[in-house]
Amino acid sequence: MWLIGVICTFVHLIATLISPISSSYAMYVWRNGWDPSISGCANNLTAFYAWDDTPSSPCFTHTWSTQEKRDWLWSTCNRPGREISQIFFYDTVTALSTRDCSSTGVQWVKSTMAEGHRKVQGLKIYALFSDGGESVPEQSHVPHIVWYNTECANAALGEQIDGVAVNNENWDVTWDSVRMARYLDNLNRIVINAHTQEPVGSLKTHFSVGWRWGKSGNGGDIVITWGGKSQPVMRHFIDIFDSIDVQVAFVTSDAMEDRLRGAEWDYAVQQGKSLLTTAYINKALPCQTTYFPFPINDLDCPAWAYDYKTESMMFQELDAFQSRIPSRVVLHHFRGAYSSGGIPDWPKH
């Protein structure tokens, strides 16, 4: 039996590694994105480079509040050769928390889900939560999604939400093992709540992690006991969720690969879990963590990094990365720079 198990694991590993790389991407769709249709925002380099995405910013609008904005999103998902088949979709839970299927908000979500599933072949739409907090308050939103899918959405019309995605940034490598285990307990309640939807497992779960979350200050693996297993903490994350995206936070393909492999890529493959790679396209520091363009001679940006600040160069690097490791790439995020139309190097699709 032991030998059979080893052979099965080996066959699964080889099949995964030689299987064709999916040409499709995933993408984060946050509440707001750059909008060049706003007066004064088109070709406004100063405003675009400043990239103020706060609610008071005049150049950012809701990413799916109108038919025009949704058409922009679906068109981006259907871009030939760069299709997007999975989106992490923010701002649904407020509408669903009314627990009233006839409410305007719920009807808005229903029509949006049906439209996306109809207009983008094979699209999977995940409700995205990002409250933050060590107690993982995102777990309390999942029952609203289950309620909506069960009581309001017509699956035959494509109105259901396919999964839940959590972006909780409160992991801290300085915690002791008890605190880490408590955080994992809280994360696991996301899955427990998702599994109240019938059939169990039909509502998928996704989590976003930093590439160094599983490493101690000296670079070694953090190993804790949780769920009856003593193993590196990154493996616990992988075990809990259906899929994980790793924030590799760098623009070169070789660094992306090294960081993804260091985030337990081989273990995820062995477990049959999907380990995605997140490419930042929003403004962030340090400059070399993101493909977002910076003004020439910006003091925050090393000279070599400017070679990676256009859409075409981004995809060249992502293609090189995927030629070596078959991980789906997550674009972070819609209208952050990608498909924003903010400057000619980042056109609207």
Side-chain angles (χ1 to χ4, degrees):
M1 290 299 291
W2 174 83
L3 181 59
I4 293 175
V6 171
I7 292 173
C8 289
T9 299
F10 179 75
V11 169
H12 174 79
L13 175 61
I14 295 299
T16 301
L17 292 177
I18 67 175
S19 63
I21 300 171
S22 171
S23 61
S24 67
Y25 295 81
M27 183 169 68
Y28 274 89
V29 181
W30 291 104
R31 178 187 289 116
N32 297 319
W34 180 268
D35 190 342
S37 69
I38 303 300
S39 177
C41 297
N43 299 315
N44 188 332
L45 296 182
T46 300
F48 188 72
Y49 288 141
W51 207 78
D52 174 18
D53 64 340
T54 61
S56 61
S57 173
C59 294
F60 282 74
T61 57
H62 200 284
T63 51
W64 55 283
S65 59
T66 67
Q67 188 64 60
E68 178 188 13
K69 300 299 188 294
R70 292 193 297 275
D71 286 344
W72 185 353
L73 172 58
W74 311 139
S75 178
T76 300
C77 291
N78 284 323
R79 184 185 176 196
R82 301 295 181 185
E83 292 85 358
I84 292 165
S85 60
Q86 184 179 26
I87 56 177
F88 306 129
F89 202 70
Y90 195 76
D91 216 20
T92 59
V93 74
T94 301
L96 302 183
S97 62
T98 62
R99 292 293 182 115
D100 178 1
C101 291
S102 64
S103 69
T104 300
V106 172
Q107 293 301 312
W108 176 42
V109 172
K110 286 178 66 174
S111 62
T112 300
M113 295 302 112
E115 187 178 289
H117 286 128
R118 182 176 70 253
K119 292 190 174 183
V120 183
Q121 184 176 8
L123 182 66
K124 300 298 181 184
I125 306 176
Y126 285 50
L128 172 61
F129 314 131
S130 185
D131 300 57
E134 187 177 339
S135 63
V136 189
E138 293 90 348
Q139 62 182 286
S140 66
H141 300 322
V142 180
H144 295 307
I145 306 301
V146 174
W147 167 82
Y148 164 79
N149 278 349
T150 304
E151 301 296 333
C152 301
N154 185 326
L157 297 178
E159 294 173 349
Q160 285 193 328
I161 294 171
D162 301 298
V164 293
V166 173
N167 187 278
N168 181 297
E169 301 285 345
N170 282 86
W171 174 261
D172 190 332
V173 297
T174 67
W175 289 341
D176 61 26
S177 59
V178 173
R179 203 167 174 183
M180 288 182 176
R182 187 182 305 122
Y183 184 78
L184 293 175
D185 286 337
N186 289 326
L187 287 177
N188 193 50
R189 291 191 186 99
I190 293 166
V191 178
I192 292 171
N193 289 341
H195 285 179
T196 62
Q197 178 174 307
E198 297 290 344
V200 173
S202 59
L203 184 66
K204 300 301 182 183
T205 60
H206 180 87
F207 187 52
S208 183
V209 302
W211 68 280
R212 284 191 56 84
W213 283 15
K215 304 296 183 182
S216 63
N218 61 13
D221 287 332
I222 298 173
V223 177
I224 69 168
T225 299
W226 182 83
K229 291 183 179 180
S230 180
Q231 62 181 1
V233 70
M234 193 65 77
R235 296 189 179 191
H236 289 303
F237 291 137
I238 292 168
D239 287 346
I240 290 172
F241 294 94
D242 293 307
S243 60
I244 296 280
D245 73 79
V246 178
Q247 304 164 28
V248 291
F250 215 76
V251 294
T252 63
S253 59
D254 53 350
M256 292 169 63
E257 181 183 4
D258 287 345
R259 292 179 178 189
L260 183 66
R261 291 192 185 279
E264 297 288 353
W265 165 261
D266 289 339
Y267 178 78
V269 169
Q270 292 166 7
Q271 300 304 308
K273 294 294 186 75
S274 181
L275 200 65
L276 292 77
T277 305
T278 302
Y280 290 156
I281 324 173
N282 53 295
K283 188 173 183 179
L285 292 175
C287 169
Q288 58 267 32
T289 66
T290 178
Y291 294 103
F292 185 89
F294 280 62
I296 297 298
N297 298 324
D298 190 298
L299 295 178
D300 291 318
C301 205
W304 66 264
Y306 285 106
D307 292 338
Y308 301 89
K309 297 302 184 180
T310 67
E311 181 192 283
S312 61
M313 287 303 297
M314 176 188 75
F315 279 121
Q316 180 174 310
E317 205 64 19
L318 295 182
D319 289 345
F321 164 74
Q322 288 188 300
S323 72
R324 299 195 297 268
I325 188 166
S327 171
R328 175 178 289 184
V329 171
V330 187
L331 304 176
H332 187 280
H333 56 89
F334 175 57
R335 286 170 47 190
Y338 185 62
S339 195
S340 66
I343 58 176
D345 284 337
W346 292 96
K348 177 179 176 179
H349 298 297

